[in-house]
Amino acid sequence: MNKKFISVTLVTPVHNEGESIYSTVEEFFKYYKDSDIKVNFIVSEDGSKDNSVEQIQLLQKKYPIKLISEPIRKGYSKAVIDGLKMVKTDVVSFIDSDGQCDPADLERLLVEFSKNNLVIGNRANRNDSSVRKLMSFAFKTVYEILFNTKLKDPSCPYFVTSLNNLTKILETPNMGILKQGFWWEFYARAKSIGIEYVQVDINHRKRVAGNTVVYRPTKLPRIVVEHLIGLFQLKKIL
């Protein structure tokens, strides 16, 4: 990254993260307040039943944030896609809304960024449950066979790329096949159209509050089946 002013849009989806979304977003603005890096946010709110919307609206009074809000839940991947499609800046990044992404790592990702590549975080110290880690390992084994990729962490949401690259990826056919495992799909599509990637070790923190609303134990069997079916469907397309 050249030593010059750069504007980055961070996209983040929100579903019932009222306890964490305010501190998660504000931390980025405070960290880069006096930096050459200007951060903006697009928050794609997805049918929350708690006070998530109210918390985001409070943030909007202080910071440059665009809110997309839906009264009915559409799911993680659709919320992510809708948010990414709203990006206007030349540089784009992404974080989840639970506080696990460290603001300091955005600068580290940007150091490796050029307009032609995709920089992907690797959560070397992943702060997730053993079940989540085991699931990711199993999916990664299948993923490597199907897509001939050596990504260390293909489910990591923390990335940096150009708007041009983002647009090309989003324009690939039938985007959003994997309803939960969006990043596996996103990176496979990037590789399929020849976008080079760089991997950077990043910090992965504990959630700010509560538990994940996606990978609950009762949902895991269905998620596993849907994810595996989705990977094979994606392979047919790519």
Side-chain angles (χ1 to χ4, degrees), residues 51 151 184 215:
N51 65 335
L151 276 176
W184 303 79
Y215 291 94

Side-chain angles (χ1 to χ4, degrees), residues 46-75:
D46 185 22
S48 298
K49 302 302 181 185
D50 64 356
N51 65 335
S52 293
V53 173
E54 288 82 357
Q55 291 297 304
I56 299 162
Q57 289 172 337
L58 288 174
L59 284 163
Q60 285 182 302
K61 295 179 180 179
K62 300 170 63 177
Y63 305 111
I65 297 169
K66 182 175 182 60
L67 170 62
I68 307 168
S69 186
E70 299 287 349
I72 299 174
R73 192 173 190 197
K74 52 193 171 186

Side-chain angles (χ1 to χ4, degrees), residues 207-222:
R207 287 177 55 89
V208 170
N211 298 309
T212 176
V213 297
V214 176
Y215 291 94
R216 292 174 177 168
T218 55
K219 295 182 178 181
L220 288 180
R222 176 178 56 81

Side-chain angles (χ1 to χ4, degrees), residues 90-198:
D90 290 336
V91 184
V92 57
S93 185
F94 185 97
I95 62 166
D96 279 331
S97 56
D98 53 16
Q100 290 189 291
C101 293
D102 190 335
D105 285 324
L106 176 60
E107 190 165 19
R108 299 184 65 216
L109 295 172
L110 285 167
V111 167
E112 300 297 329
F113 167 70
S114 75
K115 64 181 181 180
N116 297 318
N117 71 2
L118 168 65
V119 186
I120 304 169
N122 171 45
R123 296 166 293 184
N125 64 326
R126 188 169 178 179
N127 258 306
D128 279 328
S129 68
S130 298
V131 173
R132 285 283 302 277
K133 292 178 183 178
L134 181 61
M135 284 177 59
S136 291
F137 177 79
F139 292 144
K140 184 171 178 288
T141 301
V142 177
Y143 189 77
E144 289 177 347
I145 295 171
L146 291 177
F147 302 104
N148 190 30
T149 178
K150 296 299 180 182
L151 276 176
K152 297 176 183 177
D153 190 2
S155 63
C156 179
Y158 212 166
F159 77 89
V160 167
T161 198
S162 66
L163 177 59
N164 183 52
N165 283 342
L166 174 66
T167 301
K168 289 179 180 178
I169 296 168
L170 293 178
E171 288 178 347
T172 54
N174 300 320
M175 191 74 190
I177 289 175
L178 297 181
K179 303 304 180 185
Q180 304 297 343
F182 178 79
W183 300 108
W184 303 79
E185 178 176 349
F186 187 81
Y187 301 139
R189 288 178 180 272
K191 182 178 183 296
S192 75
I193 57 176
I195 296 175
E196 296 183 358
Y197 62 80
V198 178

